[in-house]
Coordinates of all heavy atoms in Angstrom, one line a residue:
M27 N 145.4 -39.6 114.6 CA 144.0 -39.5 114.1 C 143.7 -40.6 113.0 O 144.6 -41.2 112.6 CB 143.8 -38.2 113.5 CG 144.6 -37.8 112.2 SD 144.5 -36.2 111.5 CE 144.7 -35.1 112.9
P28 N 142.6 -41.0 112.9 CA 142.2 -42.1 112.0 C 142.4 -41.7 110.5 O 142.4 -40.5 110.2 CB 140.8 -42.4 112.3 CG 140.2 -41.2 112.9 CD 141.3 -40.4 113.5
H29 N 142.5 -42.7 109.7 CA 142.7 -42.6 108.3 C 141.9 -43.8 107.6 O 141.7 -44.8 108.2 CB 144.1 -42.6 107.8 CG 145.0 -41.6 108.5 ND1 145.1 -40.3 108.1 CD2 145.9 -41.9 109.5 CE1 146.0 -39.7 108.8 NE2 146.4 -40.5 109.7
N30 N 141.5 -43.5 106.4 CA 140.9 -44.4 105.5 C 141.7 -44.5 104.2 O 142.7 -43.8 103.9 CB 139.4 -44.3 105.3 CG 139.0 -43.0 104.6 OD1 139.9 -42.4 104.0 ND2 137.8 -42.7 104.6
L31 N 141.3 -45.3 103.3 CA 141.8 -45.3 101.9 C 140.7 -45.7 101.0 O 140.1 -46.7 101.2 CB 142.9 -46.3 101.9 CG 143.8 -46.2 100.6 CD1 145.2 -46.5 100.8 CD2 143.2 -47.2 99.4
L32 N 140.6 -44.9 99.9 CA 139.6 -45.1 98.8 C 140.4 -45.2 97.5 O 141.2 -44.2 97.2 CB 138.6 -43.9 98.8 CG 137.5 -43.9 99.8 CD1 138.0 -43.7 101.2 CD2 136.5 -42.8 99.5
L33 N 140.0 -46.1 96.8 CA 140.5 -46.2 95.4 C 139.4 -45.7 94.5 O 138.2 -46.2 94.5 CB 140.9 -47.5 95.0 CG 141.6 -47.7 93.5 CD1 142.9 -47.0 93.4 CD2 141.7 -49.2 93.2
T34 N 139.7 -44.8 93.6 CA 138.6 -44.3 92.8 C 138.9 -44.6 91.3 O 140.0 -44.9 90.9 CB 138.5 -42.7 92.9 OG1 139.5 -42.0 92.2 CG2 138.5 -42.3 94.4
A35 N 137.9 -44.2 90.5 CA 137.9 -44.3 89.1 C 138.9 -43.2 88.5 O 139.2 -42.2 89.3 CB 136.6 -44.1 88.5
P36 N 139.6 -43.4 87.4 CA 140.5 -42.4 86.9 C 139.8 -41.0 86.9 O 138.6 -40.9 86.6 CB 140.7 -42.8 85.6 CG 140.6 -44.3 85.5 CD 139.5 -44.5 86.6
D37 N 140.6 -40.1 87.3 CA 140.0 -38.6 87.4 C 138.9 -38.3 88.3 O 138.3 -37.3 88.1 CB 139.7 -38.1 85.9 CG 140.8 -38.3 84.9 OD1 142.0 -37.9 85.3 OD2 140.7 -38.7 83.7
A38 N 138.7 -39.3 89.2 CA 137.6 -39.0 90.2 C 138.0 -38.5 91.6 O 137.2 -38.3 92.3 CB 136.8 -40.4 90.4
A39 N 139.3 -38.2 91.8 CA 139.8 -37.9 93.1 C 139.0 -36.5 93.6 O 138.6 -36.4 94.7 CB 141.2 -37.7 93.2
E40 N 139.0 -35.6 92.7 CA 138.4 -34.1 93.1 C 136.9 -34.4 93.4 O 136.4 -33.9 94.3 CB 138.5 -33.2 91.9 CG 140.0 -32.8 91.7 CD 140.5 -31.8 92.7 OE1 139.6 -30.9 93.2 OE2 141.6 -31.8 93.0
E41 N 136.2 -35.1 92.5 CA 134.8 -35.4 92.7 C 134.6 -36.1 94.0 O 133.7 -35.6 94.9 CB 134.2 -36.3 91.5 CG 132.8 -36.7 91.7 CD 132.4 -37.6 90.5 OE1 132.9 -37.5 89.4 OE2 131.5 -38.5 90.8
V42 N 135.2 -37.2 94.3 CA 135.1 -38.0 95.5 C 135.4 -37.1 96.8 O 134.8 -37.2 97.8 CB 135.8 -39.3 95.5 CG1 135.9 -40.0 96.8 CG2 135.2 -40.2 94.5
G43 N 136.5 -36.4 96.7 CA 137.0 -35.5 97.7 C 135.9 -34.4 98.0 O 135.8 -34.3 99.2
A44 N 135.3 -33.9 97.1 CA 134.3 -32.9 97.3 C 133.0 -33.5 97.9 O 132.4 -32.9 98.8 CB 133.8 -32.3 95.9
L45 N 132.8 -34.8 97.6 CA 131.7 -35.5 98.3 C 132.0 -35.8 99.7 O 131.1 -35.6 100.7 CB 131.4 -36.8 97.6 CG 130.7 -36.8 96.2 CD1 130.7 -38.2 95.5 CD2 129.3 -36.1 96.3
A46 N 133.2 -36.1 100.1 CA 133.7 -36.3 101.3 C 133.6 -35.0 102.2 O 133.2 -34.9 103.3 CB 135.1 -36.8 101.4
D47 N 134.0 -33.9 101.6 CA 133.9 -32.6 102.2 C 132.5 -32.3 102.6 O 132.3 -31.8 103.6 CB 134.5 -31.4 101.3 CG 136.0 -31.4 101.1 OD1 136.6 -32.1 102.0 OD2 136.5 -30.7 100.3
A48 N 131.5 -32.6 101.6 CA 130.1 -32.4 101.8 C 129.6 -33.2 102.9 O 128.7 -32.6 103.6 CB 129.3 -32.5 100.6
M49 N 130.0 -34.4 103.0 CA 129.4 -35.3 104.1 C 130.0 -35.1 105.4 O 129.5 -35.6 106.5 CB 129.6 -36.8 103.6 CG 130.9 -37.4 104.0 SD 131.1 -39.1 103.6 CE 129.9 -39.9 104.7
A50 N 131.2 -34.3 105.5 CA 131.9 -34.3 106.9 C 131.0 -33.6 107.9 O 131.2 -34.0 109.1 CB 133.1 -33.3 106.6
A51 N 130.1 -32.8 107.6 CA 129.2 -32.2 108.6 C 128.0 -33.1 109.0 O 127.3 -32.8 109.9 CB 128.7 -30.9 108.1
E52 N 127.9 -34.1 108.1 CA 126.7 -35.0 108.6 C 126.8 -35.8 109.7 O 128.0 -36.3 110.0 CB 126.4 -35.9 107.4 CG 126.0 -35.3 106.1 CD 125.9 -36.2 104.9 OE1 125.8 -37.5 105.1 OE2 125.9 -35.8 103.7
P53 N 125.8 -35.9 110.7 CA 126.0 -36.7 111.9 C 126.4 -38.1 111.7 O 127.1 -38.7 112.6 CB 124.6 -36.6 112.6 CG 123.9 -35.4 111.8 CD 124.5 -35.3 110.5
S54 N 126.1 -38.7 110.6 CA 126.4 -40.1 110.3 C 127.8 -40.3 109.7 O 128.1 -41.4 109.4 CB 125.3 -40.8 109.5 OG 125.3 -40.2 108.2
A55 N 128.5 -39.2 109.4 CA 129.7 -39.4 108.6 C 130.8 -40.3 109.2 O 131.3 -41.1 108.6 CB 130.3 -37.9 108.4
M56 N 130.9 -40.2 110.5 CA 132.0 -40.8 111.2 C 131.5 -42.3 111.2 O 132.4 -43.2 110.9 CB 132.1 -40.4 112.7 CG 133.1 -41.2 113.5 SD 134.8 -40.6 113.1 CE 135.8 -41.3 114.4
A57 N 130.3 -42.7 111.5 CA 129.8 -44.1 111.4 C 130.0 -44.7 110.0 O 130.1 -45.8 109.8 CB 128.3 -44.1 111.9
R58 N 130.0 -43.7 109.1 CA 130.1 -44.3 107.6 C 131.6 -44.2 107.3 O 131.9 -44.2 106.0 CB 129.2 -43.4 106.8 CG 127.7 -43.7 106.9 CD 126.8 -42.7 106.5 NE 127.0 -42.3 105.1 CZ 126.6 -41.0 104.6 NH1 126.2 -40.1 105.2 NH2 126.9 -40.9 103.3
H59 N 132.5 -44.0 108.1 CA 134.0 -44.0 107.9 C 134.3 -42.9 106.8 O 135.3 -42.9 106.3 CB 134.4 -45.3 107.5 CG 134.1 -46.4 108.6 ND1 134.9 -46.5 109.6 CD2 133.0 -47.2 108.7 CE1 134.5 -47.6 110.4 NE2 133.2 -47.9 109.9
Y60 N 133.5 -41.8 106.7 CA 133.8 -40.7 105.8 C 134.0 -41.2 104.5 O 134.7 -40.7 103.7 CB 135.0 -39.9 106.3 CG 134.7 -39.2 107.6 CD1 135.3 -39.7 108.8 CD2 133.9 -38.0 107.6 CE1 135.0 -39.0 109.9 CE2 133.8 -37.3 108.9 CZ 134.2 -37.9 110.0 OH 134.1 -37.2 111.2
V61 N 133.3 -42.3 104.2 CA 133.3 -42.9 102.8 C 131.9 -42.4 102.2 O 130.9 -42.9 102.5 CB 133.4 -44.3 102.7 CG1 133.4 -44.9 101.3 CG2 134.7 -44.8 103.4
P62 N 131.9 -41.4 101.2 CA 130.8 -41.0 100.5 C 130.2 -42.1 99.6 O 130.9 -42.9 99.2 CB 131.2 -39.8 99.9 CG 132.6 -39.9 99.6 CD 133.2 -40.7 100.6
A63 N 128.9 -41.8 99.4 CA 128.3 -42.8 98.5 C 128.5 -42.3 97.0 O 128.3 -41.2 96.7 CB 126.7 -42.8 98.7
S64 N 129.3 -43.1 96.2 CA 129.6 -42.7 94.9 C 129.9 -44.1 94.1 O 130.7 -44.9 94.5 CB 130.8 -41.8 94.9 OG 131.2 -41.6 93.5
P65 N 129.5 -44.1 92.9 CA 129.7 -45.1 92.0 C 131.2 -45.1 91.5 O 131.6 -45.9 90.9 CB 128.7 -45.2 90.9 CG 128.3 -43.7 90.9 CD 128.4 -43.3 92.2
R66 N 131.8 -43.9 91.7 CA 133.1 -43.7 91.3 C 134.2 -44.2 92.3 O 135.4 -44.1 92.0 CB 133.4 -42.1 91.0 CG 132.3 -41.7 90.0 CD 132.7 -41.6 88.7 NE 133.6 -40.3 88.4 CZ 134.4 -40.2 87.5 NH1 134.7 -41.3 86.7 NH2 135.2 -39.1 87.5
I67 N 133.7 -44.6 93.5 CA 134.7 -45.3 94.4 C 134.7 -46.7 94.1 O 133.7 -47.5 94.1 CB 134.2 -45.0 95.8 CG1 134.2 -43.6 96.2 CG2 135.1 -45.8 96.9 CD1 133.4 -43.2 97.5
L68 N 135.9 -47.2 93.8 CA 136.0 -48.7 93.4 C 136.2 -49.6 94.6 O 135.7 -50.7 94.6 CB 137.2 -48.8 92.4 CG 137.1 -48.0 91.2 CD1 138.5 -48.2 90.4 CD2 135.9 -48.1 90.5
H69 N 136.9 -49.1 95.6 CA 137.2 -49.9 96.8 C 137.5 -48.9 97.9 O 138.1 -47.9 97.7 CB 138.5 -50.8 96.6 CG 138.3 -51.8 95.5 ND1 137.6 -52.9 95.6 CD2 139.0 -51.8 94.2 CE1 137.7 -53.5 94.4 NE2 138.5 -52.9 93.5
A70 N 137.1 -49.3 99.2 CA 137.4 -48.5 100.3 C 137.7 -49.4 101.5 O 136.9 -50.5 101.7 CB 136.3 -47.5 100.6
N71 N 138.4 -48.9 102.4 CA 138.5 -49.5 103.7 C 138.0 -48.6 104.8 O 137.8 -47.4 104.6 CB 139.8 -50.2 104.1 CG 140.9 -49.2 104.3 OD1 140.6 -47.9 104.3 ND2 142.1 -49.6 104.6
P72 N 137.5 -49.2 105.8 CA 137.0 -48.2 107.0 C 138.1 -47.5 107.7 O 139.3 -47.8 107.4 CB 136.4 -49.3 108.0 CG 137.1 -50.6 107.7 CD 137.4 -50.6 106.2
L73 N 137.7 -46.5 108.5 CA 138.7 -45.8 109.2 C 139.6 -46.7 110.0 O 139.1 -47.9 110.7 CB 138.1 -44.8 110.2 CG 137.4 -43.7 109.5 CD1 136.5 -42.8 110.6 CD2 138.4 -42.7 108.8
V74 N 140.9 -46.4 110.1 CA 141.9 -47.1 110.8 C 142.4 -46.3 112.0 O 142.9 -45.1 111.7 CB 143.0 -47.8 110.0 CG1 144.0 -48.5 110.8 CG2 142.5 -48.5 108.8
E75 N 142.3 -46.7 113.2 CA 142.8 -45.9 114.3 C 144.3 -46.0 114.4 O 144.9 -46.9 114.0 CB 142.1 -46.3 115.6 CG 140.6 -46.2 115.6 CD 140.1 -44.7 115.5 OE1 140.7 -43.8 116.0 OE2 139.0 -44.4 115.0
P76 N 145.0 -44.9 115.1 CA 146.3 -45.0 115.3 C 146.8 -46.3 116.1 O 146.1 -46.8 117.0 CB 146.6 -43.8 116.2 CG 145.6 -42.9 115.9 CD 144.4 -43.7 115.5
G77 N 147.8 -46.9 115.4 CA 148.3 -48.1 116.1 C 147.6 -49.4 115.5 O 148.1 -50.4 115.8
Q78 N 146.6 -49.2 114.8 CA 145.9 -50.4 114.0 C 146.5 -50.4 112.7 O 147.1 -49.6 112.0 CB 144.5 -50.1 114.1 CG 143.7 -50.1 115.4 CD 142.2 -50.1 115.1 OE1 141.7 -49.5 114.2 NE2 141.5 -50.8 116.0
R79 N 146.2 -51.7 112.1 CA 146.6 -51.9 110.7 C 145.3 -52.4 110.0 O 144.3 -52.9 110.6 CB 147.5 -53.1 110.6 CG 148.9 -53.0 111.0 CD 149.7 -54.3 110.9 NE 149.6 -54.8 109.5 CZ 150.6 -55.0 108.7 NH1 151.9 -54.5 109.1 NH2 150.6 -55.6 107.6
A80 N 145.4 -52.2 108.6 CA 144.2 -52.6 107.9 C 144.9 -53.2 106.5 O 146.0 -52.8 106.1 CB 143.3 -51.5 107.6
E81 N 144.2 -54.0 105.9 CA 144.7 -54.5 104.6 C 143.4 -54.4 103.7 O 142.3 -54.8 103.9 CB 145.1 -56.0 104.8 CG 146.0 -56.5 103.7 CD 146.5 -57.9 104.0 OE1 146.3 -58.4 105.2 OE2 147.1 -58.5 103.2
L82 N 143.6 -53.9 102.5 CA 142.6 -53.7 101.4 C 143.1 -54.6 100.3 O 144.1 -54.4 99.6 CB 142.5 -52.3 101.0 CG 141.4 -51.9 99.9 CD1 140.1 -52.4 100.4 CD2 141.5 -50.6 99.5
V83 N 142.3 -55.7 100.0 CA 142.6 -56.7 99.1 C 141.6 -56.6 98.0 O 140.5 -56.5 98.3 CB 142.7 -58.1 99.7 CG1 143.0 -59.2 98.5 CG2 143.6 -58.3 100.8
F84 N 142.2 -56.3 96.7 CA 141.2 -56.2 95.6 C 142.1 -56.7 94.3 O 143.3 -56.6 94.3 CB 140.8 -54.7 95.5 CG 141.9 -53.7 95.3 CD1 142.3 -53.4 94.0 CD2 142.5 -53.1 96.4 CE1 143.4 -52.4 93.8 CE2 143.5 -52.2 96.2 CZ 143.9 -51.9 94.9
T85 N 141.3 -56.9 93.3 CA 141.9 -57.2 92.0 C 142.0 -55.8 91.3 O 141.0 -55.0 91.2 CB 141.0 -58.1 91.2 OG1 140.8 -59.3 91.9 CG2 141.5 -58.4 89.8
A86 N 143.2 -55.6 90.6 CA 143.3 -54.3 90.0 C 142.4 -54.1 88.8 O 142.1 -55.2 88.3 CB 144.8 -54.3 89.5
P87 N 142.0 -53.0 88.6 CA 141.2 -52.7 87.5 C 141.5 -53.3 86.3 O 142.8 -53.2 86.0 CB 140.9 -51.2 87.4 CG 141.4 -50.8 88.7 CD 142.4 -51.7 89.2
P88 N 140.8 -53.8 85.4 CA 141.3 -54.4 84.1 C 141.7 -53.5 83.1 O 142.4 -53.8 82.0 CB 140.0 -55.3 83.6 CG 138.8 -54.6 84.2 CD 139.3 -54.0 85.4
T89 N 141.2 -52.2 83.1 CA 141.4 -51.2 82.2 C 142.7 -50.4 82.6 O 142.8 -49.8 83.6 CB 140.3 -50.2 82.0 OG1 139.1 -51.0 81.7 CG2 140.5 -49.2 81.0
P90 N 143.8 -50.4 81.7 CA 144.9 -49.5 82.1 C 144.5 -48.0 82.3 O 143.6 -47.6 81.7 CB 145.8 -49.6 80.7 CG 145.4 -50.9 80.2 CD 144.0 -51.1 80.4
G91 N 145.2 -47.5 83.3 CA 144.9 -46.0 83.7 C 145.5 -45.7 85.0 O 146.2 -46.5 85.5
R92 N 145.3 -44.4 85.3 CA 145.7 -44.0 86.5 C 144.6 -43.9 87.7 O 143.7 -43.0 87.3 CB 146.5 -42.6 86.4 CG 147.7 -42.6 85.4 CD 148.1 -41.3 85.0 NE 148.6 -40.5 86.1 CZ 149.8 -40.6 86.8 NH1 150.7 -41.4 86.2 NH2 150.1 -39.9 87.7
Y93 N 144.6 -44.6 88.6 CA 143.5 -44.7 89.6 C 143.9 -44.0 90.8 O 144.7 -44.5 91.5 CB 143.2 -46.2 89.9 CG 142.6 -46.9 88.6 CD1 143.5 -47.3 87.6 CD2 141.3 -47.0 88.4 CE1 142.9 -47.9 86.4 CE2 140.7 -47.6 87.3 CZ 141.6 -48.0 86.4 OH 141.0 -48.6 85.2
P94 N 143.3 -42.9 91.1 CA 143.6 -42.2 92.4 C 143.3 -42.9 93.7 O 142.3 -43.7 93.6 CB 142.9 -40.8 92.3 CG 142.6 -40.8 90.9 CD 142.4 -42.1 90.3
Y95 N 144.1 -42.8 94.7 CA 143.7 -43.2 96.0 C 143.8 -42.1 96.9 O 144.7 -41.2 96.8 CB 144.4 -44.5 96.5 CG 145.9 -44.4 96.5 CD1 146.5 -43.9 97.7 CD2 146.8 -44.8 95.6 CE1 147.9 -43.9 97.8 CE2 148.1 -44.9 95.6 CZ 148.7 -44.3 96.7 OH 150.0 -44.2 96.7
L96 N 142.9 -42.1 98.0 CA 143.1 -40.9 98.9 C 142.3 -41.3 100.2 O 141.6 -42.3 100.2 CB 142.3 -39.7 98.3 CG 140.7 -39.8 98.0 CD1 140.1 -38.5 97.9 CD2 140.7 -40.4 96.5
C97 N 142.7 -40.5 101.2 CA 142.1 -40.7 102.6 C 141.1 -39.5 102.6 O 141.3 -38.4 102.3 CB 143.1 -40.5 103.6 SG 142.4 -40.3 105.3
T98 N 139.8 -39.9 103.0 CA 138.8 -38.9 103.0 C 138.3 -38.6 104.5 O 137.3 -37.9 104.7 CB 137.5 -39.4 102.2 OG1 137.1 -40.7 102.8 CG2 137.7 -39.5 100.8
F99 N 139.1 -38.8 105.5 CA 139.0 -38.2 106.7 C 139.1 -36.7 106.6 O 139.9 -36.1 105.7 CB 140.0 -38.7 107.7 CG 139.8 -38.4 109.2 CD1 139.0 -39.1 109.9 CD2 140.4 -37.2 109.8 CE1 138.6 -38.6 111.3 CE2 140.2 -36.9 111.0 CZ 139.4 -37.6 111.8
P100 N 138.2 -36.0 107.2 CA 138.1 -34.5 107.0 C 139.5 -33.8 106.9 O 140.3 -34.0 107.9 CB 137.3 -34.0 108.1 CG 136.4 -35.1 108.5 CD 137.2 -36.4 108.3
G101 N 139.6 -33.1 105.9 CA 140.9 -32.2 105.7 C 142.2 -33.0 105.1 O 143.1 -32.5 104.9
H102 N 142.0 -34.3 104.9 CA 143.1 -35.1 104.5 C 143.3 -35.3 102.9 O 144.4 -35.3 102.5 CB 143.0 -36.5 105.1 CG 143.3 -36.5 106.6 ND1 143.7 -37.6 107.1 CD2 143.3 -35.4 107.4 CE1 143.9 -37.2 108.5 NE2 143.6 -36.1 108.6
W103 N 142.3 -35.4 102.1 CA 142.4 -35.9 100.8 C 143.1 -35.0 99.9 O 143.8 -35.5 99.0 CB 141.0 -36.1 100.3 CG 140.1 -34.9 99.8 CD1 139.2 -34.3 100.7 CD2 140.1 -34.2 98.6 NE1 138.7 -33.3 100.0 CE2 139.1 -33.3 98.7 CE3 140.8 -34.4 97.5 CZ2 139.0 -32.3 97.6 CZ3 140.6 -33.5 96.3 CH2 139.6 -32.5 96.5
R104 N 143.3 -33.7 100.1 CA 144.1 -32.9 99.3 C 145.7 -33.1 99.4 O 146.3 -32.9 98.4 CB 143.8 -31.4 99.4 CG 142.5 -31.0 98.9 CD 142.2 -29.5 99.1 NE 140.9 -29.1 98.4 CZ 139.6 -29.3 98.9 NH1 139.7 -29.7 100.3 NH2 138.7 -28.9 98.4
M105 N 146.0 -33.6 100.5 CA 147.4 -34.0 100.6 C 147.7 -35.5 100.7 O 148.8 -35.9 100.4 CB 148.0 -33.2 101.9 CG 148.1 -31.8 101.7 SD 148.7 -31.0 103.2 CE 150.4 -31.7 103.3
M106 N 146.7 -36.2 101.3 CA 146.9 -37.6 101.6 C 146.4 -38.4 100.4 O 145.3 -38.8 100.5 CB 146.3 -38.0 102.9 CG 146.7 -39.3 103.5 SD 146.1 -39.6 105.1 CE 147.3 -38.5 106.0
S107 N 147.2 -38.5 99.3 CA 146.6 -39.2 98.1 C 147.8 -39.7 97.3 O 148.9 -39.4 97.6 CB 145.9 -38.2 97.3 OG 146.7 -37.1 96.9
G108 N 147.5 -40.5 96.4 CA 148.4 -41.1 95.5 C 147.7 -41.7 94.2 O 146.5 -41.4 94.0
V109 N 148.4 -42.4 93.5 CA 148.0 -42.8 92.2 C 148.4 -44.3 92.0 O 149.5 -44.6 92.2 CB 148.4 -42.0 90.9 CG1 147.8 -42.6 89.7 CG2 147.9 -40.6 91.1
L110 N 147.4 -45.2 91.7 CA 147.7 -46.6 91.4 C 147.8 -46.7 89.9 O 146.7 -46.2 89.2 CB 146.7 -47.5 91.9 CG 146.7 -48.9 91.4 CD1 147.8 -49.7 92.1 CD2 145.4 -49.7 91.7
I111 N 148.8 -46.9 89.2 CA 149.0 -47.0 87.8 C 148.8 -48.5 87.3 O 149.5 -49.4 87.7 CB 150.4 -46.5 87.4 CG1 150.5 -45.0 87.7 CG2 150.5 -46.6 85.8 CD1 151.9 -44.3 87.7
V112 N 147.8 -48.7 86.6 CA 147.6 -49.9 86.0 C 148.0 -49.9 84.4 O 147.6 -49.1 83.7 CB 146.1 -50.2 85.9 CG1 145.8 -51.7 85.3 CG2 145.5 -50.4 87.4
E113 N 148.9 -50.9 84.1 CA 149.5 -50.7 82.7 C 149.0 -52.0 82.0 O 148.6 -52.9 82.5 CB 150.9 -50.8 82.9 CG 151.6 -49.5 83.5 CD 153.1 -49.5 83.5 OE1 153.6 -50.5 83.6 OE2 153.6 -48.4 83.4
Ligands
CU220 CU1 144.1 -39.5 106.5

């Protein structure tokens, strides 16, 4: 199945995940790569299909903190997540 990757503002994983859950039923969700509209999403890549590769290039946030990353394909974000630590 496809996956994406979103980097969010600190403490925004639950909020962004809830937005992704809400958009999952929208007809345009797949075309929008299940990336909800939110100013709390710092960077995102589109869905990547099995066997494909993607690279997300960005400059790390200037403010130290814990920046969650997650996949917002339906059903994934609660388990498919991690944290980028900026020191
Ligand atoms: Cu995923």
